[in-house]
Amino acid sequence: MTIAFLGPAATFTDLAVRKAFPTEDRTPCLTIPRCMDLVVAGEVDLAVVPLENALEGTVNLTIDYLYHEANLTIIGEIIAPIQQHLMVHPDHAKRWKEVEKILSHPHAIAQCHKFLHNQFPHTRCEQSTSTAAAAQFISEHPEYRYAAIGNALSAESYQLVIAKENIHDYTFNHTRFIILSKGENRQIDLPLKKTQDKTTIMVTLPTDNPGALHQVLSAFAWRHINLSKIESRPLKTGLGNYFFIIDIGQKMDEVLLPSAFKEMEALGCKVTVIGSYSSYLI
Amino acid sequence: MTIAFLGPAATFTDLAVRKAFPTEDRTPCLTIPRCMDLVVAGEVDLAVVPLENALEGTVNLTIDYLYHEANLTIIGEIIAPIQQHLMVHPDHAKRWKEVEKILSHPHAIAQCHKFLHNQFPHTRCEQSTSTAAAAQFISEHPEYRYAAIGNALSAESYQLVIAKENIHDYTFNHTRFIILSKGENRQIDLPLKKTQDKTTIMVTLPTDNPGALHQVLSAFAWRHINLSKIESRPLKTGLGNYFFIIDIGQKMDEVLLPSAFKEMEALGCKVTVIGSYSSYLI
């Protein structure tokens, strides 16, 4: 089996894929749409991409591409802790406090805001396309006295020295990654701790019914179906037009969820089941 | 009166401020938090920052900073159409099709995706911190054969030549800007077309009541109070914890809205009214 993931090698996505699929082939892709396109085209079996971070929120590109472009199914979810380290080229290991610039993905920079503010108040931070790309740049440019922020795998992969461990501001930070497949029936069982079952749907409300969202939530509430998340995204048809992503805290059943979805459709909603799957914790 | 806005000069925010406050002093700030900090510190009277784009969705930094950091009130909203143009240094006006690189804010690049894909399939796009910063770079570097994407004001301000007008993919694209002030009672009347009244609230749900969001929406639904938007953002306390931003389609009244908010608080919600204001269209 081949798995496309948001690369390059040694990103947090790569880290999640290595834990979830230790013996499968991995194909790094430079963008989230590219990962999904490869599954749609049948060139790989699965794709793993980030969906949501506890601090930064939803990865809009993942949601938007799933809604507008790629007809794929979520067959599993991996929740991984995010630990950021400061790393430098071995040539600068002893004098790492004197780095002139710090490179990383904007989210990683934001996640280490307090550390950077206290330890490197006058050092410029520069955005890279991923934490792994920052590590790669450092490894290829020993002539610059730069540092990167990233995970332990990227330090190891690019032979960098971790100058300071765990520099992230909040210890509870996690990222949700989703596993995408073509077709609905693929089952996977990962060598990780299974925590809960979920069903994710996307709902577009009728434009002529301002109370429709309340009706949708009522359809779940009276059945005592728990929702773990509800989020709106623009439909890209004009300001004020949204679709909703709803995470339901159980797997698809034979009666309750199908009935709720049918009622929502009868109210004029468009309901798409994006997946019914298990969530795993690294 | 002095108004801080997301700069530099000639950004889309600047364009909105010039239309809304043609005779007031303007102070450009390089970040959204900086605009708000100046109002909190009393160094300026108002701040104008982007809140939402029809294609890209909510500006998370604006919402998060309003929720977590800045105690400010929305006293008005400006909705402006977004028109993107391709501009070059006058030295390259005739051979603009041969530019080697195109600079702009990532949202502007995304908004012109189809144009760029068709007309410049092999030209590299580079991200800048704003459309105006891209225009400024072009004006200061005639030695590079680069182009920028931005608004007409930035072409004029930095003496660039518009090589191709209206290169954005969707003509309905608009951005919502909010006007922020300290204190609740400031009234403004802008020389623009007033379209509707709104009240914006932020709601944190009790963690031990999974049906609370449905109850919140019920409190509005049975009173026939229309909601024009509901969106979730992470509370930054762990994956799965959110607060909600709700736009209500009317101004604060004496009875209905205060009663609804009181009921929500009795259910364990934290309700903060961020503003009750008029929306204006440019």
Side-chain angles (χ1 to χ4, degrees), chain A residues 52-57 60 79 172 174 176 210 213-214 217-218 221 226 228-234 236-239 242 244, chain B residues 52-57 60 79 172 174 176 210 213-214 217-218 221 226 228-234 236-239 242 244:
Chain A
E52 183 183 9
N53 175 269
L55 295 176
E56 304 302 323
N60 293 334
I79 295 182
F172 57 72
H174 288 74
R176 288 173 68 189
L213 181 61
H214 173 247
L217 294 188
S218 301
N226 274 354
S228 56
K229 180 177 179 182
I230 175 164
E231 167 142 359
S232 55
R233 280 292 302 154
K236 299 186 192 276
T237 56
L239 211 53
Y242 306 96
F244 291 85
Chain B
E52 183 183 8
N53 175 269
L55 295 176
E56 303 303 323
N60 293 334
I79 295 183
F172 56 73
H174 288 75
R176 288 173 69 189
L213 180 61
H214 173 246
L217 294 187
S218 300
N226 274 353
S228 55
K229 180 177 177 181
I230 174 164
E231 168 141 359
S232 56
R233 280 293 301 155
K236 299 185 192 276
T237 57
L239 211 52
Y242 306 96
F244 290 86

Side-chain angles (χ1 to χ4, degrees), chain B residues 10-244:
Chain B
T11 55
F12 280 96
T13 314
D14 190 10
L15 202 61
V17 174
R18 286 173 194 233
K19 299 266 188 186
F21 303 98
T23 60
E24 308 294 343
D25 292 333
R26 292 171 297 112
T27 298
C29 300
L30 284 186
T31 67
I32 288 169
R34 175 81 184 145
C35 295
M36 299 195 204
D37 287 347
L38 286 183
V39 184
V40 171
E43 291 179 36
V44 301
D45 299 281
L46 305 176
V48 176
V49 294
L51 178 69
E52 183 183 8
N53 175 269
L55 295 176
E56 303 303 323
T58 294
V59 181
N60 293 334
L61 186 55
T62 299
I63 290 289
D64 287 358
Y65 207 76
L66 262 181
Y67 183 87
H68 292 286
E69 305 287 342
N71 181 17
L72 294 174
T73 303
I74 303 174
I75 61 165
E77 172 181 276
I78 309 161
I79 295 183
I82 299 296
Q83 291 166 316
Q84 305 283 9
H85 313 301
L86 188 77
M87 54 195 72
V88 295
H89 194 278
D91 292 1
H92 307 303
K94 284 191 182 152
R95 300 177 67 184
W96 62 271
K97 287 187 180 170
E98 296 162 28
V99 295
E100 288 152 13
K101 205 188 269 186
I102 297 171
L103 311 183
S104 200
H105 187 273
H107 284 191
I109 293 171
Q111 286 160 14
C112 304
H113 173 78
K114 286 180 195 172
F115 170 82
L116 293 171
H117 184 74
N118 292 329
Q119 302 291 315
F120 293 95
H122 307 297
T123 310
R124 215 178 122 207
C125 292
E126 194 171 290
Q127 301 185 355
S128 57
T129 51
S130 70
T131 53
Q136 188 177 5
F137 184 92
I138 301 293
S139 77
E140 291 169 358
H141 294 277
E143 71 274 22
Y144 297 135
R145 198 184 285 276
Y146 289 178
I149 297 172
N151 60 37
L153 179 61
S154 66
E156 190 192 318
S157 303
Y158 298 105
Q159 283 107 46
L160 303 182
V161 173
I162 294 185
K164 188 85 182 165
E165 271 190 327
N166 295 323
I167 62 168
H168 45 283
D169 297 333
Y170 299 99
T171 52
F172 56 73
N173 191 20
H174 288 75
T175 292
R176 288 173 69 189
F177 299 93
I178 48 173
I179 307 164
L180 294 165
S181 164
K182 265 207 293 198
E184 281 176 33
N185 296 317
R186 190 164 212 151
Q187 291 294 323
I188 48 163
D189 196 20
L190 305 182
L192 298 170
K193 187 184 162 199
K194 197 187 283 191
T195 54
Q196 59 174 319
D197 289 330
K198 282 188 183 176
T199 300
T200 297
I201 61 173
M202 289 185 177
V203 180
T204 312
L205 305 180
T207 51
D208 54 353
N209 180 353
L213 180 61
H214 173 246
Q215 289 183 297
V216 165
L217 294 187
S218 300
F220 294 115
W222 78 258
R223 290 177 170 90
H224 290 298
I225 296 170
N226 274 353
L227 307 182
S228 55
K229 180 177 177 181
I230 174 164
E231 168 141 359
S232 56
R233 280 293 301 155
L235 271 173
K236 299 185 192 276
T237 57
L239 211 52
N241 302 336
Y242 306 96
F243 68 94
F244 290 86

